Amino acid sequence: MGSVLALSSGPGHHNCPPRWERRDGRLPNPGSFHSLHRSCKDVFPQQIEGVKMILNKTLSSFFKVSHTLHLSAVSPSYYRFHVEHLQSDDYSKDKDAPALIGEMDSSGSLNAHALLHVTERVRARTVFQTQQSQFVTWQFETEYRGNDFTTAVTVANPDVLRESVILVAHFLQSVSSGLVLGGELVYHRGRAEEGGILTLAGQYSRPNWVATLNAGKGGAHASYYHRANKQIQVGVEFEASTRTQETTTSFGYQMELPEANMVFRGMINSRCIIGGVLEKRLTPLPATLIMGAFVNHRGDKLQVGLGINVG
């Protein structure tokens, strides 16, 4: 279920509390439910393996394309074409936020994402994903952002013939300038089973740190993000699942060296996995060199990756 909902969250490293600060004395909007743990997750490095080359091209102020070539000895190599059409309306809270996104790889798999700002407060989102010739995910989401609350409803994978559907409802309320409370209700129905899961969520944020907790029947997810200074940020995550009976604790950090045009992200978790990714801006060229390595001491595995992002 988590993989379905994750598609509606936009990629990118933000490294800041997902709160809209206001100076008029009113409570801020709590933002999206999917963004509760984003500040902490953006500190952790993204695993890289093999050789990857990304070529980005801006065709106009609203149109961007990119080509990705990934060569790997562990997983199948692929080519991916990515296209974005940016928003041009006045209701967008984020500058250059993608309105239409499309991706297709060499195997024929497609990932399409559409975001529409209906009004200043209402957003509509649609996601379609195929695995070669088979539909994997199709979901529709509507989100309303009030002055101090956010509510959203998502319909995922509706199938009339199989009598199956997944319904998700989110609600977040700003209780104070730093405290947000809310929850998520997931209902799924199929021919063989039917049920629901309620998850409660809370977040407390200060100017330099954010603490977030999700807890419910399916498990718990807690995170803590702290900005030590302009160069160093750290994050700690704890995840527990009642279905798999497993718990994982992870520590990550990000170090920025503006003088050297470098950003380093590292992590270590309770599964004895240690990894790090170094990003180096190759000025004056419009390119970024990415080098990463991840070691699984328990599984005696090593993954090394090298990439370059041009444009």
Side-chain angles (χ1 to χ4, degrees), residues 137-186:
T137 300
W138 55 99
Q139 71 178 51
F140 312 91
E141 176 182 345
T142 301
E143 180 183 80
Y144 179 83
R145 297 197 177 192
N147 292 331
D148 57 1
F149 70 93
T150 299
T151 181
V153 176
T154 303
V155 180
N157 293 7
D159 194 326
V160 178
L161 299 179
R162 298 182 180 180
E163 300 179 358
S164 63
V165 68
I166 299 175
L167 299 176
V168 184
H170 294 147
F171 180 78
L172 287 179
Q173 173 70 55
S174 293
V175 181
S176 66
S177 60
L179 179 62
V180 174
L181 298 177
E184 175 189 67
L185 178 61
V186 179

Side-chain angles (χ1 to χ4, degrees), residues 229-246:
N229 51 49
K230 294 182 179 180
Q231 287 76 36
I232 300 177
Q233 305 171 59
V234 297
V236 180
E237 268 195 314
F238 172 80
E239 295 181 272
S241 173
T242 57
R243 182 178 62 87
T244 61
Q245 300 294 315
E246 293 182 352

Side-chain angles (χ1 to χ4, degrees), residues 6 17 23 66 77 87 103 109 118 124 152 177 215 219 236 277 281 284-285:
R23 299 180 181 180
S66 68
S77 301
Q87 303 197 93
E103 282 188 353
S109 299
V118 182
S177 60
V236 180
V277 173
R281 187 71 178 177
L285 300 176

Side-chain angles (χ1 to χ4, degrees), residues 206-221:
R206 302 305 297 168
N208 293 329
W209 58 270
V210 181
T212 309
L213 173 64
N214 292 16
K217 183 179 179 181
H221 182 192

